Amino acid sequence: MTERGTLYVFRLGEADDDLTPAFVVDGRDYPDDEAVRAAVGAARAALGDRRLIADFETSAVRPETPRSPLPSWPEWRARHLERGEPIGVRPRPEVQPTPAGWDEMGRWLEQSRAWLDAQLAAAAGAVPGARVRRTREAEAHRIGPGSVVLAEERYRTDCEYLAVPPAGADAATVLGQVAGALRAGGWTVAAVEESPGYVTLPAERSGYTITAVWSRRNNAVRLTGASPVVDATTFEARGGAGGAAHV
């Protein structure tokens, strides 16, 4: 793959794992491989000088390959670096301090992960004879975009289980068993919601949610749990106690 047969897609964002395509260096626009390498180097240097979080992806292009709808590097440079139009992302600060409440948030998310997983396992296990398996590991993850200001980032814990009851089980019985286990665990269980394909049972406790969905086609119930959405300021404001509890 020669440089002139390569498309470079540069991506920008405010976190290394949250980048969006911004412009391209298309090797077909240049007279030789060296000119392509020079353009890529100039783009990388310009972004680095401005402390913008960026990377690029490459792919092969042929003469007949359709053009990218993204602006070219010269177009993007003229618009944002020369004319000063907003880039849409902020540069990484020279110093990125850990916000107050950040470490406590991490500890809370870890505790939340274990607690929510146990709650879902208990609810799924309340169906006698059911085959139960975890279909999504309990994990904490960012909700929404990354940010160069860590206190702006928001996080949540999610988890999912599947319970397949013995043949002949019906939605009312299975969801009644799940609801009973949830109520015994301190959850507030709402009325079921029915649609042609599913019966849904929502429950809530201290900002956490568990939703049990019975599939009429598969005769199985999927339980999805989620914690409240939190950020570092949730815990800073209360000296680390936060505004979300799971006990």
Side-chain angles (χ1 to χ4, degrees):
M1 187 168 69
T2 66
E3 294 294 330
R4 293 197 66 235
T6 302
L7 178 71
Y8 291 79
V9 178
F10 279 78
R11 308 187 307 163
L12 304 178
E14 293 198 13
D16 292 318
D17 63 347
D18 186 24
L19 303 176
T20 301
F23 64 86
V24 300
V25 173
D26 191 326
R28 295 171 294 181
D29 294 337
Y30 297 85
D32 51 49
D33 286 356
E34 186 57 36
V36 179
R37 284 191 285 268
V40 170
R44 294 181 67 184
L47 298 175
D49 289 345
R50 290 161 176 80
R51 303 186 62 84
L52 294 172
I53 299 172
D55 69 5
F56 61 78
E57 297 177 329
T58 62
S59 60
V61 289
R62 297 180 177 275
E64 67 275 13
T65 301
R67 291 281 175 164
S68 170
L70 295 169
S72 68
W73 159 237
E75 293 169 338
W76 189 90
R77 180 186 61 206
R79 181 181 306 163
H80 297 288
L81 305 187
E82 296 172 7
R83 296 200 297 270
E85 293 184 20
I87 295 173
V89 297
R90 295 168 291 184
R92 192 196 303 270
E94 292 190 13
V95 178
Q96 193 174 37
T98 300
W102 182 265
D103 292 340
E104 181 64 25
M105 180 185 72
R107 288 188 288 270
W108 181 87
L109 286 167
E110 178 58 26
Q111 295 168 358
S112 174
R113 183 195 66 77
W115 182 82
L116 184 61
D117 183 83
Q119 294 290 307
L120 283 166
V127 182
R131 291 180 287 116
V132 175
R133 63 185 176 94
R134 184 191 295 113
T135 52
R136 187 168 73 234
E137 292 287 339
E139 62 175 355
H141 58 96
R142 189 179 62 231
I143 299 295
S147 173
V148 294
V149 180
L150 294 179
E152 296 176 353
E153 293 190 342
R154 307 168 74 231
Y155 291 84
R156 185 179 72 197
T157 297
D158 295 310
C159 188
E160 185 177 272
Y161 274 75
L162 179 70
V164 182
D170 61 85
T173 299
V174 171
L175 291 179
Q177 292 160 343
V178 171
L182 289 171
R183 290 191 182 98
W187 291 78
T188 299
V189 180
V192 297
E193 304 166 3
E194 299 202 32
S195 68
Y198 302 95
V199 183
T200 301
L201 178 76
E204 185 274 341
R205 177 180 172 182
S206 300
Y208 287 79
T209 61
I210 288 180
T211 304
V213 179
W214 172 267
S215 169
R216 300 185 193 275
R217 183 180 65 180
N218 300 324
N219 291 331
V221 61
R222 188 175 301 275
L223 297 98
T224 303
S227 77
V229 177
V230 297
D231 57 38
T233 64
T234 306
F235 301 88
E236 174 192 14
R238 302 193 182 185
H246 54 252
V247 292

